[in-house]
Amino acid sequence: YSKVIRVNIVGEVEIPGTYSLNSINSAFNVLAQSGGVNSIGSVRSIKIIRSGKLVKELDLYEFLAKPTSDNDCFLLDNDYLVVSPVLNLVKLEGLVNRPMYYEMKNGETISDLIKYAGGFQPTAYTSLIHVNRVFNNQISLLEFDLSKVNKESEYNVLKNGDHVKVLEVAVQKRNYVSISGAVNIPGEYSFSDSLTIKELIRKSSGLKLDAYLDKIMI
């Protein structure tokens, strides 16, 4: 049996107000009833106030990563659902799986940001992450090597307005040779110090019948 409760939704939502809903609705269900968080609302600081006291603070990122009841909450009659304004908004672009804007909590790092973005793409250059940051009315370029920076260090903590770029590895291939002309499969082949012209021709499936055998150009 479910009863009808009245829930007050205030703050940065599309349609704030008092809603009459079944008690089986969780906090995120109720939030959806109000049209969701607006363009300046926080998805990581959704407070549940009961009898004037904070009983829980919800984080949508945590809920999406682990959609269990521990990261959601059922409401009681006359609860308040309060959505705060977003505080730290960071832009992420480049070779990650989900490049977009992300809301970061105080103290969260580049490593946290990459985790929220679903990790790096295979061709991402992970040794040097670029961050454009506004400082003293100027944009400064910072560089972070995640392989050398302690993930818990404040050194790579993100700030509101940061623009993070993940670059692509150099597209130029190394350790290869190419063969063209009157061979059956021209193209690029792996190079080693012991590779000979004869072996390269064998790799390319041999010479064509009309190959001119008196001269090979290297």
Side-chain angles (χ1 to χ4, degrees):
Y1 173 76
S2 63
K3 64 179 181 178
V4 175
I5 60 173
R6 290 168 62 84
V7 176
N8 307 287
I9 306 176
V10 298
E12 304 303 335
V13 294
E14 293 291 347
I15 312 173
T18 300
Y19 290 78
S20 296
L21 303 160
N22 286 328
S23 59
I24 60 173
N25 284 288
S26 69
F28 285 122
N29 294 143
V30 173
L31 184 62
Q33 296 289 328
S34 69
V37 175
N38 65 24
S39 60
I40 64 168
S42 171
V43 296
R44 309 201 60 195
S45 180
I46 302 169
K47 299 180 177 67
I48 298 173
I49 307 295
R50 183 172 299 154
S51 300
K53 296 181 180 179
L54 175 66
V55 295
K56 192 159 187 177
E57 185 171 8
L58 302 177
D59 183 336
L60 184 58
Y61 286 9
E62 291 181 2
F63 179 74
L64 292 175
K66 189 179 180 182
T68 64
S69 58
D70 292 339
N71 292 318
D72 200 350
C73 183
F74 287 94
L75 302 174
L76 300 181
D77 190 46
N78 208 35
D79 277 355
Y80 278 79
L81 196 64
V82 183
V83 178
S84 305
V86 64
L87 294 180
N88 296 322
L89 198 61
V90 171
K91 182 179 181 180
L92 174 61
E93 68 174 3
L95 278 294
V96 292
N97 287 313
R98 290 191 294 271
M100 57 186 289
Y101 282 92
Y102 287 89
E103 180 183 352
M104 307 301 294
K105 287 185 174 181
N106 290 331
E108 288 190 323
T109 65
I110 296 174
S111 300
D112 295 315
L113 177 64
I114 300 301
K115 178 183 68 176
Y116 297 144
F120 294 110
Q121 291 186 14
T123 56
Y125 183 54
T126 61
S127 295
L128 210 60
I129 309 298
H130 282 184
V131 178
N132 290 327
R133 177 172 296 168
V134 177
F135 184 73
N136 288 338
N137 296 317
Q138 294 181 338
I139 296 179
S140 299
L141 175 61
L142 308 177
E143 295 178 338
F144 298 90
D145 184 347
L146 295 187
S147 66
K148 296 180 181 178
V149 174
N150 183 342
K151 288 182 172 56
E152 305 300 324
S153 170
E154 292 187 2
Y155 174 66
N156 63 339
V157 168
L158 291 167
K159 309 293 183 184
N160 186 38
D162 280 353
H163 183 179
V164 181
K165 295 182 180 180
V166 178
L167 306 178
E168 187 175 15
V169 295
V171 295
Q172 182 179 0
K173 294 188 290 291
R174 299 179 183 275
N175 296 322
Y176 77 97
V177 293
S178 62
I179 183 170
S180 61
V183 291
N184 288 304
I185 308 178
E188 297 170 350
Y189 293 88
S190 177
F191 171 78
S192 67
D193 291 338
S194 61
L195 183 65
T196 64
I197 294 175
K198 182 179 180 180
E199 175 65 14
L200 179 59
I201 292 173
R202 185 195 66 78
K203 282 187 173 186
S204 63
S205 197
L207 299 169
K208 290 183 176 180
L209 295 177
D210 60 350
Y212 179 64
L213 304 180
D214 290 345
K215 185 183 294 185
I216 295 176
M217 297 181 65
I218 299 177

